[in-house]
Amino acid sequence: MISMALSSVSLRDLALVQAVAREGSFTSAARAMYISPSGLSHQVQKVEQALGMPLFERGGRRVAPTAGGQRLLGYIEAVLGAAEHLEHAARAGDIAFGGELRLGVPSTLGPYLLPHVIEPFPQRFPEARLTISEGKPRGLLRRLAEGELDAVLAPPSATVNGLDSTALFFEPYELMLHKAHPLAGQHQVALTDLDASDATLMAESHGNGVSDLGMPGAARPERIQDLSIESLATLVALRGGYTLVPILAHDRLQSIPNVVLAGVEGARPGRHIALYWRSASPWRDDLTGFAALLRTLAGTIPGLDAAT
């Protein structure tokens, strides 16, 4: 039997405790879980009172679990995992994905890939609804691990415990240059002919910058965070220089004034895209079928290289 004190603790309360442990900060955890810091602190204290022991050491620069808290965090993770399985079991049935696939897509990929997916998805998975969430890859993978999403499209990253993945396709980058750039009139431009200090690169989408692209030198120190491809194009149009943009965005970017597009001569910078899902997902077969659909579509889209 569960005690009266513990019965007042909700799954949301346990998820808040898990967020504090993951973020190492009440403020960061509150931001990630869309709750005020004071509200989060109150809910964590409620869990601690119900369990009869402190879960975190407070007062340092980083909030750390107590020895007992570290042990109980494993049980909390198990409880949340069991609750997720219960929800999936209730949703699962003869309909693919239990009726809904909650898919996370990077904001620099979604607007250009999804138009190719929207029509064939219901044909391949009748009665299943496709729900899209956009964001940064790291944030999407975190939401996947926490059960908020069912699958995520993202570049391959460091192994995340509890997640499986399969390769989908490679998307090359092409160059976007200010129209006044000395090489703007060329159909193909070699990266070695460019000045790395003129590059405007995005922190997450372009990896470690020009060093990842085999170019000498270093990008400008004011590296920007990820934003929309159209906003990146606007920066180049205003600031000059050049950037790298995914080839799927080619048609939309052609209409932006003061910039021109060019192919990359020789080297093929770009990004690999994989499909991620939780290892414990009850829809592994459906997700495998979805990955096969995406690879088939990639094979029909000019510029993409479908994974084999």
Side-chain angles (χ1 to χ4, degrees):
M1 296 293 293
I2 299 177
S3 68
M4 291 297 296
L6 189 57
S7 65
S8 67
V9 172
S10 68
L11 294 174
R12 169 70 171 173
D13 295 335
L14 296 180
L16 294 176
V17 169
Q18 191 179 57
V20 173
R22 181 184 63 251
E23 300 289 340
S25 163
F26 278 86
T27 301
S28 298
R31 187 182 305 113
M33 299 299 288
Y34 304 100
I35 187 175
S36 68
S38 60
L40 182 142
S41 179
H42 174 75
Q43 296 305 106
V44 171
Q45 288 178 8
K46 183 178 79 172
V47 176
E48 290 177 322
Q49 292 171 0
L51 295 173
M53 64 181 302
L55 297 175
F56 299 103
E57 296 177 357
R58 296 163 170 84
R61 294 183 60 183
R62 181 176 177 84
V63 176
T66 62
Q70 187 65 55
R71 176 173 54 85
L72 292 182
L73 281 169
Y75 289 102
I76 289 174
E77 181 178 0
V79 169
L80 292 174
E84 180 186 355
H85 284 227
L86 175 62
E87 180 183 13
H88 286 171
R91 290 170 56 195
D94 295 333
I95 301 176
F97 308 110
E100 179 183 16
L101 172 60
R102 301 170 298 175
L103 179 67
V105 185
S107 54
T108 58
L109 174 66
Y112 317 107
L113 177 66
L114 291 177
H116 300 277
V117 178
I118 297 302
E119 182 178 355
F121 181 85
Q123 297 173 358
R124 174 64 176 80
F125 303 103
E127 300 184 39
R129 180 175 62 179
L130 180 62
T131 303
I132 305 297
S133 293
E134 288 191 347
K136 297 180 180 180
R138 282 179 293 184
L140 293 172
L141 290 173
R142 173 185 58 77
R143 294 176 60 192
L144 174 63
E146 293 175 358
E148 295 181 20
L149 299 172
D150 301 313
V152 164
L153 296 175
S157 60
T159 302
V160 181
N161 290 335
L163 297 185
D164 289 341
S165 67
T166 184
L168 297 178
F169 58 82
F170 173 75
E171 180 184 19
Y173 289 140
E174 60 182 346
L175 283 163
M176 170 177 281
L177 305 98
H178 190 277
K179 69 176 185 179
H181 192 282
L183 301 178
Q186 297 188 19
H187 181 67
Q188 295 265 331
V189 176
L191 294 179
T192 52
D193 292 338
L194 295 166
D195 185 344
S197 64
D198 289 338
T200 298
L201 300 178
M202 298 198 294
E204 196 160 12
S205 296
H206 293 142
N208 294 321
V210 292
S211 63
D212 281 356
L213 307 175
M215 296 172 60
R220 58 179 63 188
E222 62 269 29
R223 294 274 306 284
I224 61 173
Q225 297 298 315
D226 277 341
L227 35 72
S228 72
I229 298 298
E230 284 82 358
S231 296
L232 179 63
T234 300
L235 281 180
V236 173
L238 293 174
R239 296 165 57 175
Y242 66 91
T243 188
L244 290 158
V245 292
I247 201 166
L248 277 174
H250 180 92
D251 291 343
R252 281 203 203 181
L253 298 180
Q254 278 187 314
S255 62
I256 294 179
N258 296 324
V259 296
V260 296
L261 297 170
V264 179
E265 182 180 311
R268 294 191 73 208
R271 58 182 176 181
H272 293 271
I273 298 297
L275 180 68
Y276 289 83
W277 65 86
R278 287 183 300 282
S279 304
S281 173
W283 302 307
R284 175 178 293 273
D285 291 344
D286 295 334
L287 290 162
T288 300
F290 181 56
L293 171 64
L294 292 175
R295 279 191 288 267
T296 299
L297 291 173
T300 67
I301 301 173
L304 297 189
D305 293 339
T308 56

